Amino acid sequence: MTALVIAEHDNSAIKGATLNTVTAALACAGEVHVLVAGHNAAAAAQAAAQIAGVAKVIHADSAELADALAENVAAQVLALAANYSHLLFAATAAGKNVAPRVAAKLDVAQVSEITKVISADTFERPIYAGNAIATVQSLDATKVLTVRSTGFDAAVATGGSAAVETVAAAAGAGQSRFLGREVTKNDRPELTAAKIVVSGGRALGSKEQFDAVMEPLADKLGAALGASRAAVDAGYAPNDLQVGQTGKIVAPQLYVAVGISGAIQHLAGMKDSKVIVAINKDPEAPIFSVADYGLEADLFVAVPELVGAL
Amino acid sequence: MKVLVPVKRVVDYNVKVRVKSDGTGMDIANVKMSMNPFDEIAVEEAVRLKEKGVVTEVIAVSCGDAKCQETLRTAMAIGADRAILVQTDAELQPLAVAKLLKALVDKEQPGLIILGKQAIDDDANQTGQMLAALADLPQGTFASKVEVLGESVQVTREVDGGLETLSLSLPAVITTDLRLNEPRYVTLPNIMKAKKKPLDTFTPQDLGVDVSARLKTLKVSEPPQRGAGIKVPDVATLVEKLKNVAKVL
């Protein structure tokens, strides 16, 4: 059995979530190949070849694959699918976009956001916003999976020496066009990969206060900055900082929740963190029921004091 | 053009559901059910397109048991013109729903299909993409802005790291993200009016679709519980605990 991991990359480097997906793939099958589909992505293919445990890198290059449009990437994966028992995507916005399209074309069910591989056809995945864990068995010949990165360790990015095989790019569907991208500027560690995450909620009160209170704390800890949905909806933080069921799922060593009440949708995104700290002035806030260390205090006093004490 | 809006009846998002003690599933007998929140956003967007004059008819669809009629009535109270129920007591997985919807797309020939990005019960995030694949249509997933421009639709999508904008040829499949719009409250007069709107019922057999499950759920269990934490009296104690007890700083 051979597994194919569809790499997420920016044409020059492989994104972190792909490394966790490789680990999941190694648990599914004896041999793991990585597909790098993009435009002028030779550097990303070389980087994929360095990942420990990868036996072969398949590189498909064409202008149609430049912006990872679902229709075109799915066509590329389908052109290769017959050789593989497992097709694995990272459960990122990009992976979730393409994987079901591939599965439907193959007429197989897809297993979303697996957190554990029990055997080659049996997987664990969270349902109901993480309130339950389902163990599911796929009855299909090809397993199409998306992998929740926090469920698997990252494969080592160096030391491998896989061969890079170039394949002809599949023709795109021509039904969609990429118009533009608006990237949120962020000099901090990536949210899903950070060792420490500090998140702010609605209690911050405004964008100015969110920045003034949370940024020094994030900088002091070398942490990624996150936010609750309430803070994002109120415009205090951009939406790609949202932690929760409908945002990013994180599992850092330390998660500091500031002014976040702890709705179940938020807890679904962070409750696998190793140590959780909650700073909230409401003693009844549900966040305290999952926090290892709770500080019942006014965040506008406590956070600057914390920055000073670090 | 017509818009098709698939909606799902799920456990209300405010309900804390529990795992059945025998591990066969979730205990959802006698809990409050509602329309999946992402689907409400989809209905709202379809109705707004109709109010703008871009769309002529909004058709709500639901697949499942007879009680899904309530969900369809809610969609019609928001502003859908008519509804279709694909009635079955079988467990429906996303691939089966996508196939049922594909059959209805063939029948109704909508210009747009707007779905929620995921249902809050199975958290699969698959049906829209699968429907797009089966019907050979382009897809605009996780949409936070939708603009119909003649023969194409411009969709702004929420992706990791920011936003991206695509242009899709029509017909197309769109799935909604939370920030697409704020669904309106349904008013009593509209609930009364919705009762008079047409609701057709089909079975999967009528549509020629095999809905048998392709994934077998072996068991459902409680997630590992976190140990009880402690409250600290002040910042100094917190820092001391993080440095010396948890050793994360």
Side-chain angles (χ1 to χ4, degrees), chain B residues 210-229:
Chain B
D210 171 17
V211 295
S212 55
R214 311 289 278 277
L215 292 177
K216 197 162 131 191
T217 300
L218 303 179
K219 85 176 175 212
V220 176
S221 51
E222 293 270 357
Q225 295 297 315
R226 294 189 71 92

Side-chain angles (χ1 to χ4, degrees), chain A residues 71 96-97 101 105 107 110 112 125 129 133 135 137 175 177 179-180 182 184 245 271 273 292 294, chain B residues 99 121-124 126 129 136-137 139 141 161 163 165 167 169 214 216 218-219 221 226 230 232:
Chain A
E71 298 78 11
K96 292 188 225 182
N97 190 31
R101 199 162 173 112
K105 289 274 193 199
D107 193 28
Q110 184 214 304
S112 295
R125 60 176 302 260
I133 308 293
T135 306
Q137 184 179 24
Q175 294 172 312
R177 255 177 335 120
L179 296 180
E182 197 179 306
T184 311
Q245 185 189 13
K271 69 184 169 55
S273 306
D292 299 278
Chain B
K99 287 178 179 178
D121 50 3
D122 64 14
D123 286 336
Q126 299 175 7
Q129 295 91 314
D136 265 320
L137 298 177
Q139 66 188 49
T141 51
L163 300 170
T165 306
S167 169
S169 59
R214 311 289 278 277
K216 197 162 131 191
L218 303 179
K219 85 176 175 212
S221 51
R226 294 189 71 92
I230 55 164
V232 291

Side-chain angles (χ1 to χ4, degrees), chain B residues 3 61 65 75 79 95 115 120 146 174 183 195 202 205-206 222 228 236:
Chain B
V3 179
V61 182
D65 63 21
L95 183 61
L115 304 87
I120 59 166
V146 173
I174 290 170
K195 288 185 178 166
F202 297 100
Q205 292 74 25
D206 295 338
E222 293 270 357

